[in-house]
Amino acid sequence: MTDNAKQKLIFALDVDNLEDARSWVEQLQGQVGVFKIGKQLFTKCGPEVVNLVQDGGADVFLDLKYHDIPNTVAMAGLEALRLGVKMFNVHALGGFEMMAKLVAEVDKVCPRGNPDRPVLLAVTILTSSNEDTLRGVGIDRPVEVMVPKLAKLAKDAGMDGVVASPKEVGLIREACGDDFAIVTPGVRPTFASQDDQKRVTTPGDALRAGADYLVIGRPISAASDPVAAAQMILDEMQAALEGS
């Protein structure tokens, strides 16, 4: 009943070793369809942890947020493609040329429509950021202006979607339309704390707003019963997908 929701639930593997990663994959394989591998875990374990998740029957979101000169990002993206990940991301702030080069190189190896082609995502504004954070790096425009601007830039460059706070999903849909993937971290069910996320909403509200995938970590990993917590989140997601 919750298979549709399961494929939209991404669990953040915020651990630093293969043993803990394996434990979470084994524990949550019934509730989670995609596991997010970030900088710490990938730097420590490399492609082996990607293989571990895939061998467990789940997909991988490789969350390394590439941001470099266009050719460097494109070549890194091709290696992510060869790893067989479901999705990976770059920083939209890297600019149009960087994203367009990545798309062009991936197109050569794995054209659109190929089931092995990963979802190419651009990070708009990190969910830990707010207006003060942006001003601190010289960006005077507010979050609600920057996020759709960066999302539109990513779409124009040929990217498949963005990573953005659920608070900006509506703005992104307005700027980019419905045929554009939105992955939302900063999602917190009512039973969990906000931790260091500043722009948050509940799983059900995020999906109703138009998000395609939800990234959730500590509300599951810090729960006294992680499997039960994940199931509660799945149930809420499924209810939202069914319109109830």
Side-chain angles (χ1 to χ4, degrees), residues 13-21 24 38-46 49:
L13 273 177
D14 293 331
V15 296
D16 63 2
N17 61 81
L18 277 176
E19 291 70 28
D20 286 347
W24 281 117
K39 289 184 175 68
Q40 181 182 16
L41 184 58
F42 192 80
T43 301
K44 176 70 177 291
C45 302
V49 71

Side-chain angles (χ1 to χ4, degrees), residues 18-29:
L18 277 176
E19 291 70 28
D20 286 347
R22 181 178 292 106
S23 175
W24 281 117
V25 172
E26 291 175 350
Q27 189 173 177
L28 298 174
Q29 60 186 354

Side-chain angles (χ1 to χ4, degrees), residues 1-2 8 22-23 34 40 49 81 84 116 135-136 152 157 162 164 204 224 227 235 240:
M1 179 179 177
T2 56
K8 294 176 177 293
R22 181 178 292 106
S23 175
V34 185
Q40 181 182 16
V49 71
L81 165 65
D116 294 328
R135 282 194 293 270
K152 185 63 165 57
V162 291
S224 58
V227 173
D235 291 342

Side-chain angles (χ1 to χ4, degrees), residues 36 39 62-67 89-91 123 126 163:
K36 182 175 78 70
K39 289 184 175 68
L62 190 61
D63 179 28
L64 300 182
K65 301 182 181 73
Y66 301 128
H67 186 168
N89 57 9
V90 306
H91 268 291
V123 177
L126 296 172
V163 181

Side-chain angles (χ1 to χ4, degrees), residues 21-203:
R22 181 178 292 106
S23 175
W24 281 117
V25 172
E26 291 175 350
Q27 189 173 177
L28 298 174
Q29 60 186 354
Q31 286 74 34
V32 174
V34 185
F35 288 83
K36 182 175 78 70
I37 297 172
K39 289 184 175 68
Q40 181 182 16
L41 184 58
F42 192 80
T43 301
K44 176 70 177 291
C45 302
E48 188 175 358
V49 71
V50 174
N51 296 333
L52 183 154
V53 172
Q54 293 167 336
D55 290 345
D59 289 316
V60 171
F61 170 18
L62 190 61
D63 179 28
L64 300 182
K65 301 182 181 73
Y66 301 128
H67 186 168
D68 213 310
I69 64 173
N71 189 66
T72 297
V73 168
M75 295 304 102
L78 289 181
E79 296 305 330
L81 165 65
R82 294 182 181 112
L83 282 175
V85 301
K86 180 182 178 67
M87 56 182 70
F88 69 89
N89 57 9
V90 306
H91 268 291
L93 286 168
F96 179 89
E97 183 183 354
M98 185 195 80
M99 292 186 283
K101 175 69 172 177
L102 168 66
V103 172
E105 293 300 324
V106 170
D107 281 347
K108 292 177 185 177
V109 177
C110 193
R112 294 180 189 277
N114 189 316
D116 294 328
R117 181 187 173 94
V119 179
L120 308 182
L121 299 167
V123 177
T124 54
I125 300 297
L126 296 172
T127 55
S128 59
S129 298
N130 57 19
E131 311 298 329
D132 291 337
T133 312
L134 295 184
R135 282 194 293 270
V137 295
I139 298 175
D140 294 327
R141 296 184 181 184
V143 169
E144 60 268 21
V145 172
M146 287 302 300
V147 168
K149 176 180 175 64
L150 291 169
K152 185 63 165 57
L153 185 71
K155 183 176 183 181
D156 290 346
M159 299 293 285
D160 300 311
V162 291
V163 181
S165 159
K167 296 292 187 181
E168 285 89 48
V169 168
L171 296 172
I172 294 167
R173 283 281 171 247
E174 184 177 345
C176 300
D178 293 332
D179 189 22
F180 195 62
I182 302 177
V183 177
T184 59
V187 176
R188 290 288 183 270
T190 54
F191 61 79
S193 65
Q194 289 192 11
D195 299 307
D196 59 356
Q197 305 289 348
K198 294 183 173 67
R199 305 194 318 279
V200 301
T201 193
T202 66

